Amino acid sequence: MKVQCPGCRIALTIPDDKIPDGKAVRMPCPKCKVPVEISRKQPESATQEYFATGSAPPLSDSLSDYAGAVDVVEEGVKTALLCVGTRLGEKIAQVLQELDYWVVHAARSGFALGKLHHNNYDLLILEDTFDSAQTGNNLVLHHVQLLPMHLRRQFFLCLFSETLPSMDAIRAFQMGVNLILNIKDLEKAKIILARSLKEYKSFYGFFNAEMNRKQY
């Protein structure tokens, strides 16, 4: 059986006799240590395949036709990936631009995963039902939750929701996000985001600086 690590994208070959029928096995990637779930049960859809094996679904046509998967921005420019529906996209993009962010708007999971694979963003804005009817099937959120912690701490993740209360710290921690904002509080988003981002930068600034220094 062949699967792909959701972190580093390396292809892994697992002997079929090592995976019990109808059961899933969780193992760390030998290269990047990201958890990979493997199951011999045949998934019914691309979304189910992602959760059963940890392998990303094929990128959308919009990404394969996209002229530049790698963003080209000037050094020091703050970047944000916006993963929300069209009805929220324009309003949130305006808020981010007022906060001096260079914004990429993703309409589908395949596009968003491709952009995350090729770029490092300072901020990720994600709707909890992005490209899915249920939070549990949110491919982008699931991908982020599987990232090793040293990569996860490189960016701030704000989750927009119609059902979860704003600034619920316990729920945010349980879901692996930095901030939850209810859509009803969209008018307050600029103030809440600015304050939360400032606190996050102050808290993790030293950690990220040390990690970047060790890379060189």
Side-chain angles (χ1 to χ4, degrees):
M1 176 184 298
K2 291 186 177 181
V3 297
Q4 186 180 50
C5 170
C8 65
R9 308 296 184 186
I10 188 175
L12 304 174
T13 301
I14 311 297
D16 289 344
D17 58 2
K18 300 295 184 181
I19 311 299
D21 288 330
K23 294 185 178 180
V25 175
R26 189 179 179 90
M27 58 168 284
C29 170
K31 182 178 180 181
C32 69
K33 307 306 179 183
V34 168
V36 181
E37 291 187 4
I38 308 165
S39 173
R40 292 186 64 182
K41 183 179 179 180
Q42 293 296 323
E44 299 176 359
S45 67
T47 298
Q48 291 174 320
E49 181 178 0
Y50 181 85
F51 289 104
T53 68
S55 59
L59 300 182
S60 64
D61 293 338
S62 61
L63 180 60
S64 61
D65 294 335
Y66 191 67
V70 177
D71 298 331
V72 180
V73 296
E74 295 182 5
E75 185 176 357
V77 174
K78 297 185 297 183
T79 57
L81 180 63
L82 183 57
C83 303
V84 301
T86 53
R87 66 189 183 90
L88 286 176
E90 185 175 348
K91 293 182 179 180
I92 300 178
Q94 182 178 351
V95 170
L96 297 180
Q97 289 166 1
E98 291 175 358
L99 292 173
D100 297 324
Y101 279 88
W102 186 85
V103 182
V104 175
H105 191 182
R108 287 177 292 276
S109 296
F111 184 92
L113 291 171
K115 298 298 284 187
L116 286 170
H117 180 68
H118 288 92
N119 304 279
N120 295 320
Y121 294 97
D122 300 297
L123 173 62
L124 174 58
I125 302 290
L126 178 63
E127 192 172 4
D128 59 353
T129 54
F130 175 65
D131 203 19
S132 172
Q134 299 179 356
T135 302
N137 291 334
N138 190 319
L139 297 181
V140 177
L141 179 60
H142 189 65
H143 169 76
V144 171
Q145 291 170 335
L146 289 175
L147 288 175
M149 191 54 65
H150 71 280
L151 294 178
R152 173 63 188 85
R153 287 175 177 165
Q154 296 294 321
F155 60 91
F156 186 97
L157 172 55
C158 175
L159 189 73
F160 270 85
S161 174
E162 289 186 353
T163 58
L164 300 175
S166 292
M167 304 180 71
D168 186 334
I170 295 178
R171 185 60 173 159
F173 176 78
Q174 291 173 338
M175 299 183 70
V177 306
N178 301 103
L179 174 67
I180 294 175
L181 276 179
N182 191 283
I183 294 174
K184 294 179 180 179
D185 295 322
L186 184 58
E187 299 300 324
K188 307 174 185 177
K190 181 179 178 180
I191 297 175
I192 297 175
L193 267 174
R195 182 176 63 190
S196 299
L197 286 164
K198 183 178 180 180
E199 293 174 352
Y200 179 81
K201 183 177 181 180
S202 175
F203 189 79
Y204 283 111
F206 178 76
F207 172 84
N208 289 332
E210 283 296 300
M211 291 299 298
N212 291 333
R213 184 182 64 82
K214 290 180 180 180
Q215 291 179 359
Y216 297 98

